[in-house]
Amino acid sequence: MSACHLYRAAYTVLLCLEVATASPWGSHSQQMTQTKLGQAGLNPIDVSYQPAIIGTATTTLFDYASEVGLQLVHDKFASLKLPDTHTSWDIPVIGTVNLDLSDIKLQSLDITSTSTGVSPNAQGGVTFVVNGLKTYVTCHFHYYKTSFPKVSGSGNADVRFEDGAVEYKLIPKTDATGHPMIISQEPAQVAFGVIDVHTSHSSAAWLYNLFLTAFEGQFRGVITDEVSRQVTETLPVEVDKLLAGIPTIVDLQGLQFNTSLAGDPVVEPDRITVKDWGRFRLPSKECPYQRASTWISPASKDDKPPMFIADIDESIIDCFTWVLQERKVLQKHFRSADVPIALQTDNWAGVVPNLPAQYPGQNMSLDVATAEPLLTTITAKHGVVVSGNATLLFALDSEDPELAEKPLFELAIQSEIVATKIWVESGQPDCDWRLMVEVQIVSDSIKVQTLSSDIGPVKDDALQGSIRWLASSIAQKWINGQLLKKGFALPDIPYVQIQQPSIAFNEGYLSVAADVKYVP
C-alpha cells in the first residue's frame, strides 16, 4: 500500500475516531455525556448558562496600562495651543487691573520623573494616578487699567509647572452587545504644587510682584483645566478604540463563536475579572453543555505575574463538536476512490474471509454515522482527552445497480485522542500567532465491535489489531505531521501584540497566560 494510500486510509480512521455515537459498551464516554446533559437542564434554550471563559487582569497589567495611559496623554500635549483667556483683579490703591493671555502654547509635558499607577477604588472602578508631572508653557500677556491712573503693558511669559498630580477615576463596563468599554466616573483631578513665572520684554517690571499672584492663579486654572480635559477626553477614547478591536463573534472553521462578555467586569484589589460566554451555538438552539469547572486562578505570588490569565473550560470544545454534530458535519460517506486499496474487498480477507470470496476485486463504500458529539475531558495529568464512538457501515461501491450500496457489515469503534501538547507560537516576530496542537492516539483505548454482518463472520481479533496498528502507526503521524502541522491562526486585535503566551492544563480547563504590548 503506497504512502499516499496509507495517509488516506489513516484519514478515514481519524474521522472514525473523531466522531461520536451511542456506545454499544455503555462506556465512560456515555456516562460523561449524561452527566453534562444533566447539568444543562431539560430545555437547552431556557437554561441559564455559565460563562465558559474567565479572564483575570493582574496588577502587572495595571502598571503597564498606567504607563501607556500617561504616554497617550503626553502625545496629545505636544505643542498644544490653548485658547486665549482673560481675567481681572483688584490691587489696593491702584484699582482694577485686567490681564489678557494669548498665544498660549503648552510646549511639552515632562514625564521623565513621574510615577504612575492604576488601582481599584471604592466605587467599583479603577483610579489612574500620576505624580511628579512637569510642564512648560509660553504665552503673550497684555495688562491694562481703564480707570485713572491708566496703566498698560505687554510682554511674554514663560511658566514652569512642577510637582503635578493627576487622579482620574474610570469604571469598566459592558455594553448591550457584550462588548467591553470604559466610562469616566468624574473629570480628572489635576493639581500642581510649584508654578514658576518669568516675564520678558515687559514695561511693567515695577508691577511684577503685584500681579504675580494673579498670573499664577490664572495660569494655574488654565493649565490644570486643560490637563484635566485632555486626560478626561483622551483616555476613554483611546482605551475604547483598543477595546473596539476585541471581537465579540469569531469565525472558526466557518462556525460562529460567541466571545461577548457576560456582565460587567468585577474590580478587586488585586485583579479585574471578566467573564466571557465562549460559546458555539446555532441560530435557534443553544449548546446543551455547561461550564464544568469552578476553580478560578488565584492571585499570583510572583512579583510580576503575567498581565492576563484566561481559564478556558472544556465545555467550549464540547459545544464545538456539538455544532458540528447538529450540522451533520461529522457524518461522512466515502467511496472507494476516496480511500483506495483500504476500501477493496480483496484487502479484507484476513478480517472478513467470505468478503473477497463472494465479491472478489470489488470496491466498497463506507458511511460514518454519528449520534452524539465528541466528549472532552481536560486534566492536569493527561492534557486534553477527546473520546468518541462511531458506527461504520461498509457496502459495495459498484456500477451494477443490483450490487450498488449493498450492505456488507457494520462496525462500532471507540477511541481516545489526547492533545498532549498545546502551545502558541508566532511565524514572525510579535505577529501571526497560531495555536499549535500535538496529539497522541491512545492505542489501548481503541475498541472495535461487529454490530452486524451480511457477509459472514468477522474476525474481531484481527479487526482490532488492524485498526490499532493503522491508528498508531499511520493516523497519529498524519494528524501531527499534516493536519495539525500549520496550527490554527488566532484572530488579530488591532493595537495589541501578544507577548510570551503560555498554556497549562488544569482539572476541567486550560489556563492561557500572556503579556500584551500596545502598538499605536
Side-chain angles (χ1 to χ4, degrees):
M1 191 179 293
S2 68
C4 180
H5 293 157
L6 287 175
Y7 286 146
R8 292 185 180 182
Y11 179 57
T12 305
V13 175
L14 170 64
L15 287 176
C16 296
L17 296 174
E18 287 195 344
V19 293
T21 186
S23 169
W25 298 282
S27 67
H28 173 64
S29 298
Q30 185 181 41
Q31 295 172 5
M32 289 170 57
T33 301
Q34 299 303 323
T35 300
K36 292 184 178 182
L37 290 176
Q39 291 173 349
L42 297 177
N43 188 342
I45 297 177
D46 297 329
V47 169
S48 177
Y49 292 101
Q50 296 295 320
I53 301 175
I54 297 180
T56 303
T58 69
T59 53
T60 306
L61 184 60
F62 293 176
D63 295 339
Y64 180 67
S66 68
E67 296 172 3
V68 172
L70 180 59
Q71 187 64 51
L72 291 173
V73 175
H74 171 270
D75 295 343
K76 290 289 185 179
F77 273 85
S79 299
L80 183 68
K81 187 174 182 180
L82 307 183
D84 296 347
T85 184
H86 169 83
T87 190
S88 62
W89 72 102
D90 291 327
I91 300 178
V93 180
I94 295 178
T96 301
V97 177
N98 299 284
L99 177 65
D100 293 333
L101 303 178
S102 60
D103 197 23
I104 307 172
K105 293 181 179 179
L106 199 155
Q107 299 295 339
S108 66
L109 193 67
D110 187 349
I111 61 175
T112 57
S113 59
T114 56
S115 61
T116 65
V118 172
S119 59
N121 58 46
Q123 291 76 39
V126 295
T127 302
F128 171 63
V129 176
V130 181
N131 290 302
L133 197 63
K134 299 178 182 178
T135 188
Y136 173 64
V137 179
T138 61
C139 75
H140 178 77
F141 69 88
H142 176 220
Y143 70 90
Y144 56 94
K145 183 177 179 290
T146 58
S147 61
F148 182 82
K150 294 183 178 181
V151 294
S152 66
S154 62
N156 298 321
D158 298 331
V159 187
R160 290 194 63 82
F161 292 79
E162 298 182 0
D163 194 23
V166 178
E167 183 177 288
Y168 186 31
K169 294 182 178 180
L170 299 160
I171 186 167
K173 302 289 286 186
T174 301
D175 66 16
T177 65
H179 205 279
M181 60 184 294
I182 289 287
I183 62 174
S184 301
Q185 288 182 305
E186 58 187 38
Q189 304 298 308
V190 180
F192 285 93
V194 177
I195 300 180
D196 186 17
V197 181
H198 294 276
T199 60
S200 60
H201 304 97
S202 172
S203 58
W206 63 277
L207 280 176
Y208 178 78
N209 291 329
L210 294 177
F211 60 62
L212 179 58
T213 301
F215 248 139
E216 292 182 352
Q218 185 70 358
F219 272 117
R220 188 186 298 270
V222 170
I223 299 306
T224 55
D225 288 350
E226 185 62 23
V227 174
S228 174
R229 185 179 72 83
Q230 290 292 339
V231 172
T232 302
E233 293 179 0
T234 298
L235 285 185
V237 171
E238 294 299 323
V239 172
D240 283 339
K241 184 171 70 173
L242 186 152
L243 295 177
I246 300 176
T248 56
I249 297 293
V250 176
D251 185 275
L252 294 175
Q253 305 289 341
L255 304 179
Q256 298 299 304
F257 183 51
N258 183 353
T259 58
S260 60
L261 296 187
D264 292 334
V266 178
V267 179
E268 301 176 72
D270 58 351
R271 72 179 74 190
I272 296 178
T273 302
V274 294
K275 295 183 178 181
D276 193 305
W277 286 118
R279 298 189 66 78
F280 289 95
R281 70 182 306 274
L282 296 173
S284 60
K285 194 174 183 181
E286 288 286 353
C287 170
Y289 298 112
Q290 273 276 31
R291 178 181 177 94
S293 57
T294 57
W295 192 87
I296 301 176
S297 301
S300 175
K301 296 181 180 179
D302 297 337
D303 293 335
K304 191 176 180 181
M307 292 183 184
F308 195 82
I309 302 170
D311 296 338
I312 303 175
D313 190 73
E314 62 189 27
S315 62
I316 290 178
I317 307 176
D318 287 334
C319 284
F320 175 71
T321 58
W322 173 82
V323 171
L324 294 179
Q325 172 67 30
E326 289 291 316
R327 290 185 172 185
K328 300 186 184 303
V329 175
L330 297 180
Q331 298 184 13
K332 182 69 175 178
H333 175 75
F334 296 92
R335 299 196 65 183
S336 58
D338 298 323
V339 192
I341 300 180
L343 288 180
Q344 291 184 348
T345 57
D346 291 347
N347 294 325
W348 287 78
V351 178
V352 189
N354 291 344
L355 182 59
Q358 189 168 344
Y359 300 104
Q362 293 288 321
N363 293 326
M364 295 188 295
S365 65
L366 170 64
D367 283 293
V368 180
T370 65
E372 292 178 352
L374 293 163
L375 295 172
T376 305
T377 303
I378 301 177
T379 67
K381 182 178 180 180
H382 299 293
V384 180
V385 181
V386 181
S387 59
N389 309 283
T391 56
L392 285 65
L393 176 62
F394 292 82
L396 288 178
D397 184 11
S398 174
E399 301 297 330
D400 186 342
E402 295 185 1
L403 298 179
E405 299 303 320
K406 176 179 175 59
L408 297 172
F409 58 96
E410 186 175 17
L411 307 176
I413 183 172
Q414 178 188 42
S415 183
E416 291 180 350
I417 299 178
V418 180
T420 55
K421 187 178 180 182
I422 300 178
W423 71 102
V424 179
E425 68 178 33
S426 175
Q428 301 176 11
D430 299 326
C431 64
D432 190 28
W433 288 100
R434 306 184 75 83
L435 178 67
M436 309 301 295
V437 181
E438 185 175 297
V439 305
Q440 177 182 353
I441 298 176
V442 183
S443 179
D444 291 344
S445 71
I446 298 175
K447 297 180 180 179
V448 186
Q449 180 177 334
T450 302
L451 298 180
S452 63
S453 175
D454 294 337
I455 198 67
V458 176
K459 294 183 177 180
D460 288 338
D461 290 343
L463 179 65
Q464 186 95 356
S466 298
I467 295 297
R468 285 188 175 184
W469 176 86
L470 191 60
S472 60
S473 300
I474 305 300
Q476 180 175 303
K477 293 180 180 179
W478 181 80
I479 295 169
N480 291 321
Q482 300 292 325
L483 185 64
L484 301 177
K485 183 177 181 180
K486 294 182 179 180
F488 304 91
L490 298 179
D492 291 329
I493 300 177
Y495 311 107
V496 175
Q497 288 181 353
I498 300 174
Q499 303 280 307
Q500 299 177 323
S502 64
I503 298 177
F505 300 120
N506 295 291
E507 300 303 318
Y509 65 96
L510 291 173
S511 284
V512 181
D515 290 340
V516 296
K517 180 181 179 181
Y518 175 71
V519 183

